[in-house]
Amino acid sequence: MPEPALDLSEIIDLYKIDARHMAAQMQAALARWEEVRQGGAARQALRRLSHQLRGSGRTYGFREVTHVCKAMENIVQKIEENRLEPDARAQDSLRRKIDRLVAIFAI
């Protein structure tokens, strides 16, 4: 007798709730742009959160989340390595990516 199919919808719903919370944390960190520019806790939060969502997006089948978060990680890493100026252009790019995450997980 074959095993019954697993219903992962509840787990996916919980993931989406968590992802929305993480996107809100990203927005809050980005709002502290001077702290991002200076390498403070807000920058570390952006890097950590984008890394976590990148991996979990892949795990749960959200490929676009993985791509968006990889791009965010790359921006933050380049800022950390002084290969990208933490200017308004970088800030706007991060904002657009966070807005995309918010849209992906909107109810």
Side-chain angles (χ1 to χ4, degrees):
M1 175 156 39
E3 290 186 33
L6 289 174
D7 179 12
L8 299 178
S9 61
E10 187 174 327
I11 293 171
I12 297 293
D13 288 344
L14 292 172
Y15 168 71
K16 289 178 181 178
I17 291 167
D18 193 40
R20 282 193 287 275
H21 178 69
M22 293 171 80
Q25 289 177 318
M26 289 175 169
Q27 289 173 319
L30 190 65
R32 300 190 321 266
W33 183 246
E34 192 57 34
E35 203 175 304
V36 173
R37 287 176 38 86
Q38 307 247 342
R43 182 191 295 175
Q44 300 310 312
L46 283 174
R47 186 164 186 176
R48 177 181 47 80
L49 291 164
S50 61
H51 181 77
Q52 288 174 337
L53 268 180
R54 177 184 175 187
S56 62
R58 182 176 50 242
T59 300
Y60 288 101
F62 288 85
R63 290 183 184 190
E64 187 175 3
V65 170
T66 300
H67 293 299
V68 169
C69 289
K70 180 179 181 179
M72 289 181 65
E73 269 190 293
N74 287 337
I75 291 169
V76 175
Q77 183 175 358
K78 286 178 182 177
I79 290 171
E80 288 176 349
E81 296 170 351
N82 296 315
R83 295 188 297 135
L84 179 65
E85 187 68 32
D87 57 12
R89 187 173 164 202
Q91 182 183 23
D92 187 54
S93 181
L94 287 168
R95 179 178 295 112
R96 285 192 318 267
K97 287 166 181 45
I98 294 169
D99 289 348
R100 183 65 199 129
L101 293 173
V102 169
I104 290 168
F105 293 111
I107 295 175

